[in-house]
Structures are given as structure tokens and as C-alpha cells.
Amino acid sequence: MGRLLDFAGGCVRVLARGNRAYRAWVALLLAMIGTGALAYAHQARLGLIATHMRDQVSWAFYVGNFTFLVGVAAAAVLLVIPAYVYDWKPLKEVVILGELLAISAIVMCLLFILVDMGRPERFLHLAPLLGTPHWPASLLTWDALVLNLYLAVNVAVAAHILYRAWRGRPYDRRVVVPLVLFSIPMAVSTHTVTAFLYSGMAARPYWNASILAPRFLASAFCSGPAVLLVLFQVLRRTTGLEIKDEAISKVAELMAYAMFVNLFLLGAEVFKEYYSGTEHLLYTQYFWSGIGRHRALVPFAWTGLACSLAAFLLFLVPRTRHHPVTLNLGCALIFAGVYIEKGMGLVIPGMTPDTLGEIYEYRPTLTEWLVATGIFGVGFLVFTALVKLAVPILSGRLRASGTAAGAPPALAPGAAP
């Protein structure tokens, strides 16, 4: 217990220190969180009528962000599989950063679901013993289970590695390797179960497709790694953490393959809808070309497709994939393209027209934008804190008292003596 308290105290001291840029960044995030909290207080006081969600469109901006962030959380798999299944050392050295990103993304996922519920205390109905989760029949219960379990696995792995590194000792393979390997099916299941939530609704033809789960996974292996690639470059320039060029190149190459699969599946779905020309085409038509004067999402549809295609071409060509400028441009484009595709482009067309044929043009209110800003502020703050702790520990600058500083053995495989 004394060592744990010492470790916690050291973490607090690291988080409390920082240069002017760090303090300004944290102040900005705290301002975002405060703004979001005030907006959510307004929503809680008035109810969900403060949003633009209505009976016709009851899932909207919040659920769209949740769906996108589930994919970001699954991004750690793109590092875990090459690192631990194929024992590729350049990625094994940075795989913990993917786990830290997964922790932050899942925190935001859970918060978006919480603010989307008109009565947030109903969240307890999904809790074992406290509520009546109706497991295993309810897909919502499955989604809550896999998300929280995936969060627990990533927290356990990251905490073990960082604590052992702080003590100047290698991680214990008997603890880390089984948990890391278990995180692979858990990451896949988080996005798969989320896709099943959509595709299992027979009354929503836009979602009722077996191809939805593979599309979710393919897009997830693009959006999350885009964040990691930018983070790798920032950390390599600003800290002593060594991140090899091979690690960045391999992640970018894998993203190119994933984006090709994502675009291919999207094209197959669009072809099926337009070529068959059934009454279910209305939902796809609303997104891509509009229905009459209802064209609110058409600019988003083509902008998202243009971003995804441009990003795919940038990552496909080795020269542009390896150049820092085009690499970062591709990351921004791929993030924007997938955000549109799995946010507004997935949720809103699935509910427009509604089951009675009415078209309700949904647009997020200022309240929704501000609440989302606060949630992203929480996620960025969690990620910032985790990375600020991880970098000095893994680089050997932060150690337990009485332990010699130096090169860390934390990422070297081996059981503790």
C-alpha cells in the first residue's frame, strides 16, 4: 500500500508540473468541460426537448459520436496484433499508447450514452445486481458488457506496465500477454456488437444489412490509428520517447489496406441499393442525393467520400505515405471522412424518412454541440494525463525512490525475478 501511495503521489506531482503550453492546453480543456457541464445542466433541466431530437429522429448527434468513438477505441488492435501475435518489436514499444487511446475513447463513449439518456439514472438498469439487464437477450446489455470489459482490460494492462516501469522492473508476461491477447477479440466485439445494435433493427432498412459489422471494423482500423500516427510524431519531437520510423510506416500501410476494404464495402452497399431500386432506396437516396427539397446531408455525404478517397490515395502511394506533410494530411482526411460516415452519415439517414414516411430534417442544436465539446474535453484531458504519465515513466525519467533512473525495462518482455 505504501508503494501504491508513493506511485499515486508521483503521478500527481507529474501532472501538476508542466510548461506554459501544457498549462494552456489543460486550461482550454477545463474550459471545454465547464462549458459542456453548463450545457448539460440546461439539457437536464429542460429535458431532451433542448436538443433537436424528436420522435422521428430519436438517435442523432450523441449516438453518432458514440458510434465513431467505439471505432477509435478499437484502434489498439492494429498495434496489438503485429506487436504480440507476430512479435514485431517496433510496434511493441508503442502499443501502450494505443491502449491509452482506447481508455480515453471508451470514457467518451460512455459519457455520450449517458447524456443521450433523458433519465441518466436508468443506466443502472444495465448494471448486474443493481438493475434488470435482461441478459443475454438484450443487445444493449451486451454492448455495455463488452465496452466496460474492454475498458477494464486496457486499464489493467496499462496500469501494470507503468507501475512496474516506475519500480524499474519489466512487466510480467504471465499478466500482460494473456490480457493483451484477450483484448483483441474484445476490441473486435465492441464494434461488432455496436453494429449488431443497428443491423438487428428490421424496421430500419438502411441499417438492416449483414455487411454493416465488417464496415464498422474496417473504418475503425482507419480512424483510431490516424490519431496515433499524429501522436507518435508529436511525442518523438517533444519527448525522449523513441518511436521508430518503421512503426509509423507499418501503421500507415495497414491503414491503407483497411481504407480500401472500407471503401469497397461502402461501394457494394450503395450499388445494391441503387441497382435493386426498391422502396428501401429512399434512405440511401436521402443521404447521397436528397429527397426533393430535403438535402441537408448531401454536402456531408460527398465531403466525407472525397476525404476518404483522397486519404486512401495518399496512404496507398509509398512516397506520400512516408512524407510527414502528406502523411498528416491523410490522417486529417481519414479522420474527417470516417467521422462523417459513421456519425451523421449513419445515424440520421437510418431514421429519415421515419417508419411512417415523414421526413424530419435534423440538425444539432447549440446545446448538443456544447455538450459534445465538454465530453471531448474530458476525453482529451484523460488522454493528456495518461500520456504525460506514461512518457516519463517509459523513458526512465520517473522512478520510485531508491531506484536508479535510466533506460526503462518496462517494454522488455520477461517475468519479474
Side-chain angles (χ1 to χ4, degrees):
M1 181 59 69
R3 287 185 181 275
L4 289 175
L5 292 176
D6 191 17
F7 177 63
C11 292
V12 171
R13 288 191 293 273
V14 168
L15 294 177
R17 295 195 302 264
N19 56 22
R20 184 177 300 175
Y22 169 73
R23 293 195 296 270
W25 172 245
V26 172
L28 174 62
L29 295 180
L30 291 175
M32 291 170 60
I33 295 171
T35 302
L38 291 175
Y40 180 68
H42 171 71
Q43 176 184 303
R45 184 173 62 254
L46 296 182
L48 288 177
I49 196 67
T51 72
H52 272 169
M53 290 186 286
R54 297 296 184 267
D55 289 342
Q56 297 89 339
V57 179
S58 54
W59 285 4
F61 188 58
Y62 295 152
V63 175
N65 280 289
F66 160 77
T67 307
F68 171 75
L69 289 168
V70 172
V72 174
V77 172
L78 209 64
L79 304 182
V80 169
I81 292 177
Y84 284 91
V85 176
Y86 296 101
D87 198 26
W88 204 63
K89 289 184 172 31
L91 277 182
K92 185 175 288 189
E93 296 171 356
V94 295
V95 71
I96 190 172
L97 297 177
E99 292 162 349
L100 300 183
L101 178 63
I103 293 171
S104 308
I106 296 174
V107 168
M108 289 187 282
C109 287
L110 298 176
L111 287 175
F112 269 114
I113 292 299
L114 198 65
V115 300
D116 188 65
M117 302 172 69
R119 296 273 302 278
E121 73 276 6
R122 290 177 177 171
F123 191 79
L124 295 174
H125 285 300
L126 292 175
L129 302 179
L130 296 177
T132 53
H134 194 49
W135 186 84
S138 171
L139 277 175
L140 284 173
T141 305
W142 276 105
D143 207 26
L145 175 66
V146 295
L147 279 174
N148 285 281
L149 189 55
Y150 185 51
L151 174 62
V153 168
N154 281 285
V155 168
V157 171
H160 176 84
I161 290 177
L162 294 180
Y163 179 70
R164 299 282 291 214
W166 174 75
R167 295 185 60 188
R169 304 173 68 182
Y171 67 77
D172 192 338
R173 287 181 60 90
R174 295 167 299 181
V175 175
V176 171
V177 173
L179 287 176
V180 166
L181 294 179
F182 179 61
S183 72
I184 297 175
M186 287 305 306
V188 173
S189 66
T190 57
H191 226 26
T192 302
V193 173
T194 304
F196 287 171
L197 275 173
Y198 287 97
S199 63
M201 297 185 185
R204 305 289 181 182
Y206 187 73
W207 301 333
N208 188 221
S210 58
I211 205 174
L212 196 62
R215 276 186 61 194
F216 270 30
L217 290 173
S219 61
F221 297 154
C222 304
S223 54
V227 179
L228 290 174
L229 285 182
V230 176
L231 174 68
F232 289 166
Q233 297 171 75
V234 171
L235 292 180
R236 190 164 62 175
R237 286 178 176 271
T238 59
T239 70
L241 196 62
E242 182 181 358
I243 300 175
K244 296 183 175 61
D245 289 333
E246 298 95 312
I248 296 176
S249 299
K250 178 58 66 175
V251 173
E253 182 182 353
L254 294 174
M255 287 172 62
Y257 304 148
M259 180 51 74
F260 169 76
V261 175
N262 183 46
L263 289 171
F264 175 77
L265 294 176
L266 174 63
E269 187 67 17
V270 171
F271 167 79
K272 184 263 292 183
E273 293 293 347
Y274 275 96
Y275 191 78
S276 59
T278 67
E279 65 274 11
H280 294 164
L281 174 62
L282 276 175
Y283 303 94
T284 304
Q285 182 182 344
Y286 173 70
F287 182 55
W288 291 102
S289 56
I291 301 175
R293 60 185 177 83
H294 302 289
R295 300 173 53 86
L297 294 185
V298 174
F300 291 98
W302 292 101
T303 300
L305 180 61
C307 289
S308 295
L309 284 171
F312 170 65
L313 294 176
L314 288 175
F315 279 100
L316 183 64
V317 180
R319 180 177 297 180
T320 54
R321 188 170 67 225
H322 295 152
H323 195 280
V325 175
T326 49
L327 173 67
N328 291 320
L329 176 60
C331 289
L333 289 172
I334 211 167
F335 192 88
V338 175
Y339 183 80
I340 293 173
E341 175 194 338
K342 294 174 69 177
M344 302 289 283
L346 174 75
V347 179
I348 308 305
M351 293 192 163
T352 311
D354 67 5
T355 51
L356 297 178
E358 182 181 354
I359 296 178
Y360 170 71
E361 293 271 66
Y362 167 84
R363 292 178 179 84
T365 62
L366 179 61
T367 298
E368 291 171 273
W369 281 108
L370 293 178
V371 170
T373 299
I375 292 176
F376 276 106
V378 172
F380 293 160
L381 185 61
V382 170
F383 189 58
T384 300
L386 292 175
V387 172
K388 184 167 175 60
L389 291 174
V391 169
I393 292 176
L394 297 179
S395 60
R397 298 196 303 271
L398 180 62
R399 284 287 182 267
S401 57
T403 304
L411 298 177

